């Protein structure tokens, strides 16, 4: 079966919904295709204790402030999932699910979006699939015979009670999971470089402002301020702060190799482990765009703003700073979604 829409948005998480909001305001005919069976995007798959970095009002999509969560300054993932589901309903966004996109192809004056439930022919595509679905695992010498998992598979400390666990990664997910495990397991937290905690009073509001100021400065030809990276790597959310202050969150240097029962450093020191959790980040989930042949250095598609340089009918939204400052965050994606929708509306002659 073949269907048509002026714009096909691929991904029904926060970026896809923000795009839908702005496309609807501009009167553009569009559809959102989401591979998930229920609303909430990647937020419905995170670990149990995850909290936002910012209060609800500073973690909102365009048009509607996220309601506060009773008894919580920083909402949990379940609250975000409920908000995203309500957001879809509030604005009547045309989300089709579950629909898995296999590939986007050029098809004359249109693009052809092939899915597991039919084909869509469209005049423009917004890819908003994020990174959660493509976890990155580094190549490390040796072999470990115990359990290995990535951030995406971690749910909570009860799965590791009484076990020796090595947590790898010096960013927010590594610190939060190490803090989560600090009370019920024997964790060893290892990082490539000494962890850099942001000041305790800095949360997502300040991070968004820093990212925005950096982009504005670069556009005006000023020296690179470093943005968020200049402030540190880890937001000291309350659970991380508590574990750090109690001396339970101390990092060791990254090991050199895996062993059958743990890891080993270059000086011969070993640590035994029952499990290793790799909090080593993600890569953009862009396999559905492979037929277009657009990938450049490090697998990224060169863009001007959100528009693909070599395919002006394609926009990429929510993958990180290379598609807009703080565009991988709830509050940050709204601005780039607005710009992408306006540019597409212009392309369509709206």
């Amino acid at each position: 079966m073949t269907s048509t829409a002026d714009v096909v948005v691929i991904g029904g998480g926060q970026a896809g919904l923000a795009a839908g909001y702005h496309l609807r305001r501009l009167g553009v005919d569009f559809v959102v295709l989401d591979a998930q069976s229920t609303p909430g995007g990647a937020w419905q798959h995170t670990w149990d204790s995850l909290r936002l970095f910012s209060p609800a009002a500073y973690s909102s999509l365009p048009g509607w402030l996220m309601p506060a969560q009773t008894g919580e300054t920083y909402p949990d993932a379940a609250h975000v999932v409920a908000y995203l589901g309500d957001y879809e309903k509030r604005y009547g966004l045309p989300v089709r699910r579950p629909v898995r996109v296999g590939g986007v192809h050029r098809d004359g004056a249109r693009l052809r979006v092939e899915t597991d439930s039919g084909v869509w022919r469209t005049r423009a595509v917004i890819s908003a699939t994020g990174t959660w679905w493509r976890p990155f695992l580094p190549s490390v010498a040796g072999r470990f015979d115990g359990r290995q998992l990535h951030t995406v598979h971690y749910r909570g400390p009860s799965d590791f009670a009484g076990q020796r666990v090595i947590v790898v990664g010096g960013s927010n997910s590594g610190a939060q999971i190490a803090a989560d495990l600090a009370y019920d397991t024997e964790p060893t937290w290892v990082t490539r470089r000494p962890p850099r905690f942001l000041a305790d009073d800095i949360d997502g509001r300040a991070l968004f402002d820093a990212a925005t100021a950096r982009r504005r400065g670069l556009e005006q030809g000023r020296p690179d301020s470093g943005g968020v990276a200049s402030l540190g790597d880890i937001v000291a959310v309350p659970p991380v702060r508590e574990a750090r202050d109690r001396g339970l969150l101390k990092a060791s240097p990254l090991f050199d190799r895996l062993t059958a029962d743990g890891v080993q450093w270059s000086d011969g020191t070993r640590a035994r482990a029952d499990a290793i959790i790799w909090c080593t980040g993600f890569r953009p989930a862009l396999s559905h765009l492979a037929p277009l042949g657009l990938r450049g250095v490090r697998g990224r598609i060169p863009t001007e703003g959100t528009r693909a340089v070599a395919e002006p009918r394609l926009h990429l939204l929510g993958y990180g700073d290379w598609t807009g400052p703080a565009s991988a965050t709830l509050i940050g994606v709204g601005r780039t979604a607005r710009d992408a929708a306006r540019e597409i509306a212009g392309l369509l002659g709206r």
Side-chain angles (χ1 to χ4, degrees), residues 49-71:
S49 66
L50 180 65
R51 294 291 187 275
L52 295 182
F53 295 155
S54 305
Y58 293 89
S59 304
S60 303
L61 292 180
W64 182 37
L65 290 179
M66 180 188 291
Q69 182 177 3
T70 303

Side-chain angles (χ1 to χ4, degrees), residues 200-213:
D200 289 356
D201 61 344
I202 291 182
D203 60 16
R205 293 167 289 191
L207 299 183
F208 176 69
D209 289 344
T212 301

Side-chain angles (χ1 to χ4, degrees), residues 57-130:
Y58 293 89
S59 304
S60 303
L61 292 180
W64 182 37
L65 290 179
M66 180 188 291
Q69 182 177 3
T70 303
E72 298 287 347
T73 300
Y74 300 99
D76 62 21
H79 187 75
V80 178
V81 170
Y83 169 69
L84 295 180
D86 291 343
Y87 190 92
E88 283 186 27
K89 296 175 184 176
R90 183 183 183 93
Y91 294 109
L93 300 180
V95 182
R96 306 286 184 90
R97 62 167 58 92
V99 178
R100 187 170 298 278
V101 174
V104 179
H105 304 257
R106 294 182 178 90
D107 191 4
R110 290 183 175 260
L111 294 171
R112 187 176 75 254
V113 181
E114 297 183 350
T115 81
D116 59 2
S117 60
V119 173
W120 287 82
R121 298 188 73 245
T122 183
R123 298 172 66 186
V125 166
I126 295 177
S127 181
T129 50

Side-chain angles (χ1 to χ4, degrees), residues 153-210:
H153 305 115
Y154 176 76
R155 291 296 172 267
S158 61
D159 294 335
F160 304 91
Q163 296 184 20
R164 296 160 298 189
V165 183
I166 294 176
V167 180
V168 184
S171 60
N172 286 298
S173 60
Q176 289 189 31
I177 290 176
D180 206 28
L181 293 167
Y183 306 94
D184 300 310
T185 71
E186 297 179 37
T188 299
W189 183 32
V190 299
T191 60
R192 187 175 298 278
R193 64 181 184 185
R196 299 190 305 157
F197 293 93
L198 281 81
D200 289 356
D201 61 344
I202 291 182
D203 60 16
R205 293 167 289 191
L207 299 183
F208 176 69
D209 289 344

Side-chain angles (χ1 to χ4, degrees), residues 217-230:
L218 291 173
E219 291 173 348
Q220 295 174 355
R222 297 199 298 268
D224 191 348
S225 66
V228 172
S230 68

